[in-house]
């Protein structure tokens, strides 16, 4: 059997090492590690953007593509926890919520800055002026909370 260690964020690696040690003590021989290291980059970009830094289009589109993968991965992990394993951890829920918020925020910035192209900016700016993206984020997080409450409370 193969054991997967899935860590949505790697800072020092301490939690990953501890999890792998625990699996080895339990007799695991095949251990695969899958983790993301995107959080420090996102924090750096956010702080720089708050300071007024404007990044080139190629950089923002690359960041969007990578964070889209992170967004899909976070929701896949939630799906696995909720439907396959049947147990949730607060850390996993936090990662799912924060990844969703950052993904939606990054998408908003890229749309408003025209990084997806002028046509998409023209088409979606009216919706963004009504804060549709914020309401979609609220609905997604509310659905997540309702699913957790429905299943575990």
């Amino acid at each position: 059997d193969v054991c997967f260690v899935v860590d949505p964020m790697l800072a020092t690696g301490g939690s990953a090492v501890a999890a792998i040690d625990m699996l080895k003590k339990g007799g695991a021989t095949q251990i695969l590690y899958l983790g993301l290291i995107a959080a420090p980059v996102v924090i750096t970009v956010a702080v720089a953007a708050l300071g007024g830094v404007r990044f080139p289009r190629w950089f923002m589109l690359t960041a969007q593509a990578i964070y889209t993968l992170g967004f899909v991965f976070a929701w896949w992990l939630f799906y696995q926890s909720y439907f396959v394993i049947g147990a949730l951890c607060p850390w996993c829920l936090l990662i799912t919520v924060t990844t969703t918020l950052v993904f939606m925020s990054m998408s908003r910035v890229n749309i408003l800055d025209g990084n997806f192209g002028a046509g998409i900016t023209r088409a979606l700016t009216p919706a963004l002026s009504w804060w549709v993206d914020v309401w979609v984020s609220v609905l997604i997080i509310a659905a997540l909370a309702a699913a957790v409450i429905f299943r575990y409370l």
Side-chain angles (χ1 to χ4, degrees):
D1 289 337
V2 176
C3 294
F4 289 92
V5 175
V6 182
D7 189 359
M9 187 176 103
L10 175 65
T12 62
S15 60
V17 170
I20 291 169
D21 285 343
M22 186 175 70
L23 289 170
K24 285 181 179 178
K25 288 177 186 173
T29 57
Q30 290 184 309
I31 301 170
L32 296 176
Y33 175 80
L34 179 61
L36 296 177
I37 310 174
V41 173
V42 172
I43 292 169
T44 303
V45 170
V47 169
L50 287 172
V53 174
R54 295 206 26 118
F55 293 96
R57 181 175 185 262
W58 69 265
F59 179 87
M60 291 303 291
L61 290 176
T62 302
Q64 181 77 45
I66 292 169
Y67 219 80
T68 298
L69 293 174
F71 174 74
V72 170
F73 181 61
W75 279 94
W76 178 81
L77 288 176
F78 174 76
Y79 174 85
Q80 293 297 314
S81 297
Y82 192 84
F83 293 106
V84 177
I85 299 169
L88 296 174
C89 71
W91 173 250
C92 300
L93 290 172
L94 178 66
I95 291 299
T96 303
V97 169
T98 56
T99 301
T100 299
L101 293 173
V102 172
F103 171 78
M104 296 298 281
S105 299
M106 187 175 290
S107 298
R108 179 183 183 84
V109 167
N110 278 323
I111 291 166
L112 291 175
D113 286 352
N115 291 329
F116 292 133
I120 291 176
T121 299
R122 270 192 310 277
L124 296 180
T125 297
L128 295 180
S129 69
W130 285 90
W131 298 90
V132 171
D133 57 322
V134 173
W135 289 109
V136 169
S137 299
V138 169
L139 289 173
I140 290 170
I141 293 168
L144 174 74
V148 171
I149 290 169
F150 175 74
R151 182 145 220 196
Y152 296 103
L153 296 181

